[in-house]
């Protein structure tokens, strides 16, 4: 039997002093693991003076982690000294990362060859929505307004996918545990995936376009107006009101599609100035948006979040915003403008998750009793009209449709997506595979499907 020492290996250039926590295991001692399976992870950190801590990494250094994927199949034997438990397995400055440190051994399967390295490294970087939102309980836990993952061993440029949608997209991209593991298990190559959640604001097309073009002076004007108007309303805001407003203000003055990001490898740091592909969700495009009466900026907040806010927040919205209704033609125009703006910056591929119109419990026998147009009354009709609009956009603007509707019909909507939004794990995996297929078909680097 061949035994492979599980040494940490090179993650960053030799000139960088990298520190780490103890190891947290994802598999039991004596477990059999396949090649490419992630078996452990740890928190990592660099001292503030390190030149590698530039750009986006400077704002992510408190939530940097690396997961370790074995490069050969076999049985894992854990070293007793790899984990100390408690805070020593959570604090990134507990120990120094040494390339030759062994955290265990791997009893190689018969016929398996020992590769040149024990591990592939999957790097996690989270930008906190709030500096005090510290959650170190597991792999990539915490409240982040930008969460991204990349393979850290690439010797060729990464292909970057930026994801902006609502909850149905989040579960597809981030998977069961929220750590992107299923997506990265499905691809091989230098993939880099960035997810921007909809916690504060829904990423509707008009909002994203404004973010891309907003000047620093306009951002400052928004912040000053919010600070002045929120506290001057008829109801005194409470602490939770201010926290909600702070998250919204931060989202308004950011621009996810123009942020310059940093990815690392043993060769050093590389700058990502724009994504190669963008994944959107048509469910982000509500027929009702909010527009600021004086400054003219767009905003969309989930209705269930608004229902949980207090009277001070509602008074601020009523005083400062107007409701604007959009037709399907308006939404098509806005998505087209977004596609043009994204492509003008060099992004080549735009993918859009369509709406699920299949509903296994629908029992409508006659539509004559419903108010016209039917799309304003019946969600399934609205979804079909929306999907038809997307097909027109595919022809005029070259977008690629992720046909979640067809997959839901194939799997069975009643069992796998009963509310037409929140889907089962099996349907999510099928949609995930379809996204990878489309990216590979489009030639986006790093998104080669991994054989299973």
């Amino acid at each position: 039997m061949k035994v492979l020492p599980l040494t940490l290996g090179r993650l960053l250039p030799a000139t960088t002093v990298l520190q780490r926590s103890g190891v947290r295991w994802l598999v039991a001692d004596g477990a059999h693991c396949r090649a490419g399976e992630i078996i452990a992870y740890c928190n990592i950190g660099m001292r503030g003076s390190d030149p590698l801590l530039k750009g986006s990494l400077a704002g992510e250094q408190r939530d940097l982690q690396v997961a370790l994927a074995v490069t050969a199949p076999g049985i894992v034997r854990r070293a007793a000294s790899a984990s100390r438990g408690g805070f020593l397995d959570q604090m990134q400055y507990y120990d120094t990362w040494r390339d030759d440190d062994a955290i265990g051994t791997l009893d190689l399967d018969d016929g398996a060859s020992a590769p040149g390295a024990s591990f592939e490294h999957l790097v996690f970087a989270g930008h906190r929505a709030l500096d005090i939102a510290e959650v170190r309980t597991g792999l990539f836990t915490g409240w982040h307004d930008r969460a991204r993952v990349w393979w850290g061993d690439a010797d060729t440029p990464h292909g970057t996918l930026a994801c902006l949608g609502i909850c149905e997209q989040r579960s597809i991209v981030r998977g069961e545990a929220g750590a992107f593991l299923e997506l990265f298990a499905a691809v091989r190559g230098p993939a880099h995936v960035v997810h921007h959640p909809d916690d504060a604001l829904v990423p509707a097309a008009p909002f994203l376009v404004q973010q891309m073009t907003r000047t620093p002076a306009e951002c400052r004007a928004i912040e000053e107006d919010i600070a002045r108007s929120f506290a001057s309303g008829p109801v005194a805001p409470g602490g939770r009101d201010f926290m909600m407003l702070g998250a919204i203000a931060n989202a308004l003055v950011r621009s996810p599609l123009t942020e310059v990001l940093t990815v690392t490898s043993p060769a050093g740091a590389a700058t990502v100035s724009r994504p190669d592909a963008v994944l959107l969700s048509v469910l982000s495009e509500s027929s009702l948006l909010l527009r600021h009466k004086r400054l003219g900026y767009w905003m969309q907040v989930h209705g269930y979040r608004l229902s949980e806010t207090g009277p001070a927040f509602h008074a601020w919205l009523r005083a400062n915003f107007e409701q604007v209704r959009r037709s399907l033609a308006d939404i098509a125009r806005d998505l087209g403008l977004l596609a043009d703006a994204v492509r003008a910056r060099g992004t080549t591929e735009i993918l859009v998750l369509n709406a699920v119109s299949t509903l296994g419990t629908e029992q409508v026998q006659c539509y004559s009793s419903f108010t016209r147009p039917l799309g304003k009354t019946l969600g399934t009709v609205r979804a079909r009209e929306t999907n038809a609009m997307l097909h027109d956009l595919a022809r005029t603007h070259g977008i690629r449709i992720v046909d979640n509707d067809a997959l839901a019909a194939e799997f069975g909507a009643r069992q796998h997506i009963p509310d037409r939004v929140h889907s089962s794990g099996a349907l999510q995996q099928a949609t995930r595979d379809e996204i990878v297929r489309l990216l590979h078909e489009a030639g986006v680097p790093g998104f080669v499907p991994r054989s299973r």
Side-chain angles (χ1 to χ4, degrees):
M1 178 188 299
K2 295 181 180 178
V3 177
L4 176 69
L6 292 175
T7 54
L8 292 175
R10 177 65 55 85
L11 180 62
L12 294 178
T15 54
T16 298
V17 178
L18 182 66
Q19 295 183 290
R20 67 174 179 88
S21 68
V23 170
R24 282 189 270 184
W25 294 96
L26 296 175
V27 299
D29 189 37
H32 181 272
C33 298
R34 66 186 184 279
E37 183 173 351
I38 292 173
I39 66 167
Y41 67 98
C42 61
N43 291 25
I44 57 174
M46 293 166 274
R47 292 301 182 186
S49 59
D50 195 289
L52 199 64
L53 270 183
K54 294 180 179 178
S56 59
L57 285 181
E60 297 166 329
Q61 60 176 319
R62 298 203 54 194
D63 281 333
L64 286 172
Q65 292 180 315
V66 60
L68 306 169
V70 290
T71 55
I75 295 175
V76 172
R77 308 292 182 188
R78 302 180 349 185
S81 60
S83 173
R84 299 291 179 89
F87 269 113
L88 299 187
D89 284 356
Q90 298 183 29
M91 302 304 293
Q92 68 268 39
Y93 299 127
Y94 156 65
D95 198 1
T96 300
W97 180 287
R98 301 174 185 85
D99 300 349
D100 58 355
D101 272 357
I103 64 170
T105 60
L106 185 71
D107 298 344
L108 291 170
D109 285 356
D110 292 340
S113 59
S118 305
F119 292 118
E120 291 180 290
H121 303 102
L122 192 60
V123 183
F124 301 81
H127 185 274
R128 292 184 183 179
L130 188 68
D131 289 339
I132 61 174
E134 184 156 306
V135 183
R136 295 173 177 264
T137 54
L139 180 60
F140 216 18
T141 50
W143 181 24
H144 303 121
D145 56 24
R146 183 185 66 224
R148 60 195 188 99
V149 186
W150 67 91
W151 284 115
D153 307 284
D155 53 8
T156 56
H158 287 77
T160 297
L161 171 67
C163 306
L164 301 104
I166 64 167
C167 50
E168 110 282 17
Q169 187 194 110
R170 180 198 297 246
S171 58
I172 293 166
V173 173
R174 300 197 58 163
E176 297 287 347
F180 300 82
L181 298 185
E182 293 88 347
L183 179 56
F184 276 82
V187 301
R188 57 183 176 85
H192 173 217
V193 178
V194 189
H195 179 250
H196 301 273
D198 59 334
D199 296 328
L201 295 177
V202 178
F207 172 59
L208 293 174
V209 171
Q210 282 188 338
Q211 285 181 309
M212 294 176 69
T213 58
R214 189 169 287 144
T215 66
E218 290 170 332
C219 290
R220 187 58 186 161
I222 291 173
E223 292 176 324
E224 290 174 349
D225 178 81
I226 289 174
R228 180 178 60 254
S229 62
F230 193 62
S232 62
V235 182
R240 294 179 68 86
D241 296 315
F242 280 114
M243 290 182 68
M244 176 74 173
L245 189 71
I248 288 176
N250 283 336
L252 283 169
V253 299
R254 289 181 58 231
S255 177
L257 290 173
T258 61
E259 289 177 340
V260 178
L261 303 175
T262 301
V263 294
T264 60
S265 73
T271 298
V272 178
S273 59
R274 49 97 182 126
D276 297 280
V278 173
L279 175 65
L280 305 172
S281 168
V282 79
L283 294 184
S284 298
E285 305 301 326
S286 171
S287 60
L288 186 65
L289 296 183
L290 296 174
R291 183 169 59 196
H292 194 270
K293 294 176 181 177
R294 189 172 67 85
L295 298 178
Y297 63 83
W298 295 101
M299 191 170 77
Q300 182 182 351
V301 184
H302 283 300
Y304 71 90
R305 294 207 185 279
L306 290 179
S307 68
E308 296 167 352
T309 58
F313 200 88
H314 285 267
W316 176 71
L317 288 178
R318 285 193 300 269
N320 293 277
F321 292 86
E322 60 182 347
Q323 294 183 338
V324 178
R325 291 203 171 274
R326 292 193 297 167
S327 66
L328 273 179
D330 294 330
I331 292 173
R333 177 204 62 212
D334 294 339
L335 282 170
L337 290 173
L338 176 60
D340 292 341
V342 167
R343 286 221 172 88
R345 297 195 72 255
T347 296
T348 57
E349 299 301 326
I350 301 167
L351 283 64
V352 183
L353 281 160
N354 69 3
V356 173
S357 64
T358 306
L359 188 62
T361 58
E362 189 175 59
Q363 298 294 325
V364 178
Q365 302 296 323
C366 178
Y367 290 95
S368 61
S369 61
F370 292 95
T371 303
R372 307 286 173 149
L374 292 176
K376 288 188 175 181
T377 307
L378 296 171
T380 53
V381 174
R382 172 78 176 184
R384 294 180 190 116
E385 293 173 343
T386 299
N387 289 347
M389 176 270 292
L390 277 183
H391 279 278
D392 291 338
L393 274 177
R395 289 193 297 269
T396 59
H397 286 77
I399 68 170
R400 295 175 184 266
I401 298 173
V402 183
D403 200 347
N404 211 26
D405 192 29
L407 289 169
E410 179 182 341
F411 274 71
R414 182 180 297 182
Q415 294 79 24
H416 290 274
I417 188 164
D419 63 357
R420 297 190 295 111
V421 177
H422 303 94
S423 55
S424 69
L427 180 53
Q428 287 174 13
Q429 184 60 55
T431 309
R432 199 176 292 125
D433 290 342
E434 176 66 2
I435 291 169
V436 173
R437 185 191 70 80
L438 289 171
L439 292 171
H440 179 53
E441 180 183 272
V444 177
F447 288 89
V448 179
R450 189 188 294 266
S451 59
R452 296 178 179 173

